[in-house]
């Protein structure tokens, strides 16, 4: 049809195109084409089809055609074969219509019959044939050690990013939309917190969800939070944590690249929401990596050559066929107008370019996303497959371990970089094989990862430099005691009064903090940092805030008088109840924030008068399982359904073969 043309660019047959044509009009076409009249339309169409498939008679017919008519056929021959004509076509178009070389399919729409197109094509279905797979083109070649180092560094960054994401949502993440998923505003906040673009943030969120580390808590006010599996994942060795993420990505049908697109009902697809499953995604990811594995180690291919190879293996069925021109001319004419973008038109009319390209199909987009996601995850490094990525596919490592090409015919010459490579499996691994491959990949990755450090370097400008990844207890304590100022190969922490007060609120004393820094610093504790800790600790807890709606108490009544005299305390609506007690018309949390904004360092206290230690309370969901991949096609039938189907088939077989009794003739019948 005009909306769904054939990948070959061929139209319907003569019999199909004339199915609704009046018998009188059919006879007129026969007469004009020089054929004898018939008594019915069926024999008439058979006679016209015989003319169009007879090369000698067809050549004689076209030799008498006007040059403009032949030009129209030339532009239609490779498709799309549909076009539009006005109610009064030009003479060269009328010549084609009268002889059935163009047949009407709808008011104002005509089509080039398949038999005519095949004659003009000399019997070819496609303009160009590609019997051999297009080779992968190398974009660059690196040392395998450099590829592994780059991939390992990115793998460690991936782990830190997922940890940072779930740490940010530790006390309860964003709310779940009514229709499911993450709101656009929350995705932007997450991207800002991770310091990445929004599509990249959507990938990390979806990866954590796919690996079972993130889910909704199921409460009335439903929010996203880490699962109990996240705590177990944190206790695994670093390489095993990575293989958990990489395996989940490799087998997942959820596709983060679809976030922001539209579904069939024109609704926006949101991260963690429904509608992101694409059953072809695991197969495409595996195939892309298998193609990379077919290259020599350290070789990265061009993305265009990978996409061309995938399109050759599975040609498109729609109008963006690899055989069709990517930017064919489109015309506008009062005599002839193409019915679809990219259809050829009449000579001399204005031309535009087709806005579609073969890379617009879903399979090509899945392949492009697979290439970028593999790089972000550390499966590839500098565009080439790493040794631990090769192990993740279940391939041997150490040499060029895979050949992604199809077997060559005798006499065919493969490109040099594809020769002498053993065959690679073309299908994803099973569950047991994937578990063994993940264990092998972890062993390959372990020596490439940096060892966690147990020390930092304190500097006189109130900063601490971590020259590498830190051991988890040290990193957790530093996250409370200082603020992260910059990340990278070395993380820079900055100590501020607010960060020191945060550590004191968590129950640490000044002496604890001094001892901690002394034990974990390769440099002496700078005097400015020691003074900062002592100054904040000296003021910390001097004021006490409790619930009255809220109150402030202090043994030094001059400090309370100073607070009352400060005009900035007016919004707190304070009044003196006693020389050492002030009451406020606000809640304790707002009162704490208000006093801290005035430069004081109050501490919250309980109803018994004890200082409250404010630690972050981790929020976890109930136990959740990771989302299952969505299979392609209908679900597999269970045993009950199969048994019922077999019973029905056998019952039908018995009924069809059972002997039938002769029926007695009706009374009075002949």
């Amino acid at each position: 049809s005009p909306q769904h043309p054939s990948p070959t660019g061929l139209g319907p047959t003569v019999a199909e195109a004339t199915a609704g044509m009046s018998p009188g009009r059919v006879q007129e076409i026969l007469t004009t084409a020089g054929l004898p009249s018939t008594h019915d339309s069926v024999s008439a169409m058979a006679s016209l089809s015989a003319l169009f498939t007879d090369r000698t008679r067809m050549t004689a017919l076209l030799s008498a055609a006007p040059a403009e008519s032949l030009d129209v056929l030339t532009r239609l021959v490779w498709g799309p074969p549909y076009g539009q004509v006005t109610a009064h076509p030009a003479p060269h178009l009328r010549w084609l219509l009268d002889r059935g070389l163009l047949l009407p399919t709808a008011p104002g729409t005509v089509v080039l019959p398949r038999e005519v197109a095949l004659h003009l094509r000399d019997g070819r279905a496609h303009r160009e044939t590609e019997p051999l797979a297009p080779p992968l083109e190398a974009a660059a070649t690196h040392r395998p050690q450099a590829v592994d180092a780059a991939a390992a560094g990115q793998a460690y960054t991936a782990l830190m990013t997922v940890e940072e994401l779930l740490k940010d949502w530790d006390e309860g993440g964003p709310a779940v939309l009514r229709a499911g998923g993450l709101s656009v505003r929350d995705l932007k906040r997450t991207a800002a917190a991770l310091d990445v673009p929004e599509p990249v943030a959507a990938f990390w969120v979806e990866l954590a969800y796919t690996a079972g580390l993130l889910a909704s808590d199921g409460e009335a006010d439903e929010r996203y939070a880490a699962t109990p599996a996240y705590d177990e994942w944190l206790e695994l060795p670093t390489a095993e944590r990575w293989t958990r993420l990489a395996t989940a990505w490799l087998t997942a049908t959820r596709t983060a690249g679809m976030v922001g697109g539209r579904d069939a009902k024109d609704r926006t697809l949101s991260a963690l929401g429904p509608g992101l499953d694409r059953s072809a995604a695991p197969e495409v990811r595996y195939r892309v990596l298998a193609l990379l594995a077919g290259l020599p180690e350290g070789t990265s291919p061009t993305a265009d050559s990978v996409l061309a190879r995938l399109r050759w293996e599975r040609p498109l069925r729609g109008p963006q066929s690899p055989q069709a021109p990517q930017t064919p001319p489109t015309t506008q004419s009062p005599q002839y107008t193409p019915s679809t973008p990219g259809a050829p038109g009449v000579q001399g009319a204005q031309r535009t370019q087709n806005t579609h390209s073969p890379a617009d199909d879903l399979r090509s987009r899945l392949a492009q996303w697979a290439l970028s996601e593999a790089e972000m995850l550390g499966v590839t490094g500098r565009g080439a497959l790493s040794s631990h990525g090769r192990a993740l596919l279940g391939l041997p490592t150490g040499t060029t371990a895979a050949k992604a090409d199809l077997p060559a015919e005798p006499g065919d010459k493969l490109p040099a970089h594809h020769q002498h490579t053993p065959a690679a499996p073309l299908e994803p691994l099973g569950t047991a094989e994937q578990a063994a491959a993940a264990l092998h990949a972890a062993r390959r990755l372990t020596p490439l990862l940096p060892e966690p450090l147990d020390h930092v370097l304190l500097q006189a400008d109130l900063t601490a430099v971590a020259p590498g990844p830190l051991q988890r207890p040290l990193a957790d304590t530093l996250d409370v005691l200082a603020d992260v100022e910059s990340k990278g190969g070395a993380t820079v922490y900055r100590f501020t009064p607010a960060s020191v007060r945060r550590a004191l609120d968590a129950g640490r004393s000044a002496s604890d903090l001094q001892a901690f820094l002394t034990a974990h610093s390769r440099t002496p504790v700078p005097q400015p940092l020691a003074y900062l800790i002592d100054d904040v600790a000296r003021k910390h807890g001097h004021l006490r805030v409790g619930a009255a709606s809220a109150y402030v108490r202090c043994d030094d009544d001059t400090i309370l008088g100073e607070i009352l005299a400060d005009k900035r305390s007016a919004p707190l609506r304070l009044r003196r109840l006693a020389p050492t007690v002030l009451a406020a018309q606000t809640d304790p949390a707002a009162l704490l924030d208000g006093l801290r904004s005035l430069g004081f360092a109050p501490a919250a206290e309980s109803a018994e008068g004890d200082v409250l230690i404010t630690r972050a309370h981790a929020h976890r969901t109930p136990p959740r399982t990771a989302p299952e991949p969505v299979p392609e096609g209908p679900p597999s039938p269970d045993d009950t359904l199969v048994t019922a189907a077999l019973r029905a088939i056998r019952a039908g077989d018995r009924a069809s073969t059972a002997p039938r009794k002769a029926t007695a003739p009706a009374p009075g019948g002949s």
Side-chain angles (χ1 to χ4, degrees), residues 7 11 20 35 49 71 160 183 189 215 240 298 346 364 379 391 421 499 506-508 524 555 599 630 633-634 636 668:
L35 299 174
S49 299
D71 183 65
M160 295 300 102
S183 68
R189 290 174 179 170
E240 293 184 23
V346 178
S364 295
V379 178
T421 54
S499 67
R508 295 294 190 101
D555 296 335
V630 176
S636 302

Side-chain angles (χ1 to χ4, degrees), residues 637-645 647:
D638 55 14
D639 293 342
T640 303
L641 184 59
V642 172
T643 302
R647 188 181 297 113

Side-chain angles (χ1 to χ4, degrees), residues 197-220:
E198 291 175 34
V200 178
F203 168 71
W204 295 121
V205 170
E206 281 290 335
L207 180 63
Y209 175 70
T210 301
L213 310 179
L214 178 68
S216 60
D217 57 10
E219 303 291 339

Side-chain angles (χ1 to χ4, degrees), residues 247 286 391-395 427-440:
T247 302
Y286 190 90
L392 191 68
L393 300 179
L395 303 175
E427 295 296 334
L429 302 177
T431 304
E433 293 84 356
Q434 188 63 67
L439 186 60
H440 185 201

Side-chain angles (χ1 to χ4, degrees), residues 180-372:
L182 201 63
S183 68
V184 175
R185 180 179 300 178
D186 289 328
L187 181 60
K188 289 182 178 179
R189 290 174 179 170
T190 302
L194 298 179
D195 194 21
V196 296
E198 291 175 34
V200 178
F203 168 71
W204 295 121
V205 170
E206 281 290 335
L207 180 63
Y209 175 70
T210 301
L213 310 179
L214 178 68
S216 60
D217 57 10
E219 303 291 339
D221 183 16
E222 196 171 15
R223 310 184 74 83
Y224 289 108
T227 63
Y230 169 63
D231 299 311
E232 301 173 3
W233 178 75
L234 287 177
E235 300 302 322
L236 295 175
T238 305
E240 293 184 23
R241 286 192 287 138
W242 179 83
T243 56
R244 172 88 172 266
L245 296 180
T247 302
W249 168 76
L250 191 60
T251 59
T253 57
R254 291 189 64 85
T255 309
M258 302 300 300
V259 173
R262 296 279 179 174
D263 62 5
K265 297 183 178 179
D266 200 35
R267 296 174 298 192
T268 302
L269 297 173
S270 59
L272 301 179
L276 296 182
D277 286 287
R278 297 296 181 271
S279 55
E283 186 268 335
V284 172
R285 292 191 195 108
Y286 190 90
R287 187 58 187 147
V288 167
L289 296 180
L291 289 175
L292 269 61
L295 297 173
E297 292 188 13
T299 303
S300 61
T302 61
D304 290 341
S305 65
V306 173
L307 298 183
R309 179 59 175 273
L310 293 178
R311 286 195 296 269
W312 181 89
E313 292 179 350
R314 293 194 179 183
L316 305 181
R317 298 181 180 179
Q320 287 81 37
S321 173
Q323 290 81 18
Q326 294 189 16
T327 55
T330 301
T331 67
Q332 300 294 332
S333 169
Q335 297 294 338
Y336 180 92
T337 305
S339 61
T340 57
V346 178
Q347 183 179 9
Q350 181 181 3
R351 296 184 179 184
T352 59
Q353 285 189 338
N354 187 10
T355 57
H356 300 282
S357 69
D360 290 337
D361 67 286
L362 176 61
R363 186 174 175 85
S364 295
R365 286 185 290 154
L366 289 173
Q368 291 172 331
W369 294 332
L371 287 171
S372 60

